């Protein structure tokens, strides 16, 4: 979805172009046939996976870094550590976008101040993950109920330092006004700030169940030469390094990334062709039941 350096704008601009250039009907329809799906963890473990991380959101967020700044892509939100924006309730993480004025750093790497029209939340897991020679298969998943509302941009993804030199894997990103749709993508580049992945790498899906009313499990399996995306335990997309646009997947092997959850507001993702009117934004909340990571040889 997005990274933490100025060149991230390129990432989102490419992603938004990829999505906006697709014609209606181009998106595959996938059957999200369970309204409140949950992972069969025993079946995953029996299939040879070892659980290495389990975040049930029961106690605190000490394993996460919480942003306190603006971001990129002409987004409208200030990422805050306020409990109004990020809090736990009954074993769930709730990230809420709020229409309110806030002043803070324009982005994490500058002290230049800016006044924002919205606040929201973004958090990154402190312990990085990596598909490498020791753990050649990494499987990470989250059970999420997406926010409804025009201008809401929820995402579950992973990325590393010096974007995109350590890669980025977008497991889920969505637009709040499209409750039956979400997208996947990935990025990599050998030079900081420049993605080499073809601009048509993003793919959107139309689902048969509302993603904002029901719980769904979004997953990816990251291997040396393959990315396998899953929804509710079913494979919906496979990218391999021998076929475009997957030809840069193997360049991410051995690199470290951090799992990220955030709810952005507006920005370039919603250009059509202009940025959305902030007055048209309808705020909402992203609910996360858990995040899990598994490894396999």
């Amino acid at each position: 979805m997005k990274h933490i350096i100025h060149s991230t704008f390129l990432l989102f601009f490419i992603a938004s172009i990829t999505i906006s250039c697709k014609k209606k009907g181009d998106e595959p329809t996938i059957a999200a046939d369970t309204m409140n799906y949950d992972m069969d963890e025993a079946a995953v473990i029996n299939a040879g996976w070892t659980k290495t991380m389990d975040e049930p959101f029961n106690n605190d967020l000490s394993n996460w870094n919480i942003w306190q700044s603006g971001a990129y892509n002409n987004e409208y939100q200030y990422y805050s550590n306020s409990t109004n924006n990020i809090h736990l309730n009954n074993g769930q993480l709730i990230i809420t976008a709020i229409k309110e004025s806030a002043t803070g750093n324009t982005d994490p790497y500058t002290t230049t101040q800016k006044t924002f029209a919205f606040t929201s939340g973004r958090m990154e897991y402190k312990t990085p993950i990596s598909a490498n020679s020791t753990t050649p298969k990494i499987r990470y998943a989250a059970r999420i109920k997406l926010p409804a509302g025009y201008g809401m941009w929820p995402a579950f993804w992973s990325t590393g330092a010096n974007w995109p030199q350590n890669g980025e894997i977008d497991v889920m990103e969505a637009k709040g006004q499209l409750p039956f749709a979400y997208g996947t993508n990935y990025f990599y580049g050998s030079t900081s700030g420049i993605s080499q992945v073809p601009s048509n790498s993003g793919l959107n899906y139309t689902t048969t169940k509302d993603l904002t009313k029901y719980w769904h499990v979004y997953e990816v399996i990251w291997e040396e030469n393959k990315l396998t995306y899953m929804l509710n335990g079913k494979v919906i997309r496979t990218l391999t390094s021998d076929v475009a646009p997957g030809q840069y997947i193997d360049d991410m092997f051995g690199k470290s990334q951090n799992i990220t959850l955030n709810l952005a507001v507006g920005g370039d993702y919603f250009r059509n062709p202009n940025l959305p009117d902030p007055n048209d934004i309808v705020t909402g909340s992203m609910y996360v039941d858990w995040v899990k990571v598994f490894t396999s040889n």
Side-chain angles (χ1 to χ4, degrees), residues 187-200:
F187 294 90
Y188 175 80
S190 58
T191 302
S192 179
I194 301 175
S195 177
Q196 296 168 244
V197 176
S199 60
N200 65 346

Side-chain angles (χ1 to χ4, degrees), residues 19-293:
I19 291 170
S20 62
C21 287
K22 290 183 179 293
K23 298 179 181 178
K24 186 176 182 180
D26 284 352
E27 300 87 355
T29 298
I30 52 178
D33 49 7
T34 302
M35 288 187 291
N36 285 301
Y37 181 85
D38 205 347
M39 172 185 281
D40 184 347
E41 187 175 305
V44 172
I45 292 173
N46 288 337
W49 294 92
T50 300
K51 184 167 65 174
T52 58
M53 183 273 244
D54 190 348
E55 173 58 85
F57 297 114
N58 286 332
N59 299 312
D60 58 45
L61 295 173
S62 59
N63 291 321
W64 299 81
N65 289 316
I66 298 176
W67 267 32
Q68 296 181 69
S69 75
Y72 307 98
N73 318 298
N74 294 305
E75 297 162 22
Y76 300 160
Q77 81 290 331
Y78 174 79
Y79 283 129
S80 164
N81 66 346
S82 168
T83 54
N84 293 327
N85 299 112
I86 297 180
H87 72 280
L88 303 179
N89 184 49
N90 294 324
Q92 296 173 8
L93 167 70
I94 304 173
I95 303 179
T96 301
I98 301 172
K99 185 174 177 57
E100 61 180 352
S101 179
T103 300
N105 290 357
T106 301
D107 62 61
Y109 298 100
T110 179
T111 57
T112 302
Q113 298 289 286
K114 177 181 177 180
T115 298
F116 300 81
F118 297 85
T119 60
S120 191
R122 168 172 168 161
M123 45 194 278
E124 300 172 356
Y125 199 70
K126 293 179 180 179
T127 303
I129 58 174
S130 176
N132 53 47
S133 58
T134 303
T135 54
K137 292 184 179 181
I138 300 287
R139 178 175 182 168
Y140 45 111
R143 188 172 188 247
I144 304 173
K145 187 186 297 183
L146 301 186
Y150 175 69
M152 295 294 95
W153 184 359
F156 166 48
W157 54 299
S158 63
T159 190
N162 301 316
W163 184 89
Q165 291 175 301
N166 285 292
E168 173 178 329
I169 301 171
D170 298 332
V171 188
M172 178 280 298
E173 60 180 345
K175 297 179 179 180
Q177 73 271 24
L178 302 175
F180 289 84
Y182 83 101
T184 63
N185 210 342
Y186 90 103
F187 294 90
Y188 175 80
S190 58
T191 302
S192 179
I194 301 175
S195 177
Q196 296 168 244
V197 176
S199 60
N200 65 346
S201 59
L203 185 62
N204 290 332
Y205 313 88
T206 299
T207 66
T208 57
K209 292 290 187 292
D210 193 324
L211 303 176
T212 68
K213 291 183 178 179
Y214 306 110
W215 292 98
H216 299 281
V217 174
Y218 303 88
E219 296 183 72
V220 70
I221 299 174
W222 173 17
E223 304 175 58
E224 181 174 6
N225 299 302
K226 184 190 301 185
L227 291 174
T228 304
Y229 295 91
M230 304 170 70
L231 176 67
N232 294 347
K234 297 179 179 179
V235 175
I236 60 169
R237 185 187 193 190
T238 301
L239 289 173
T240 57
S241 59
D242 59 341
V243 179
Q247 65 265 44
Y248 295 99
I249 292 173
D250 56 352
D251 290 297
M252 297 192 296
F253 193 70
K255 307 293 177 62
S256 294
Q257 300 185 13
N258 294 83
I259 292 173
T260 304
L261 295 162
N262 68 281
L263 176 55
V265 179
D268 295 305
Y269 195 48
F270 296 88
R271 280 188 182 272
N272 190 30
N274 299 317
L275 288 169
D277 185 335
N279 294 317
D280 294 334
I281 299 293
V282 178
T283 57
S285 295
M286 173 182 178
Y287 296 82
V288 186
D289 190 25
W290 49 255
V291 178
K292 302 178 193 287
V293 177

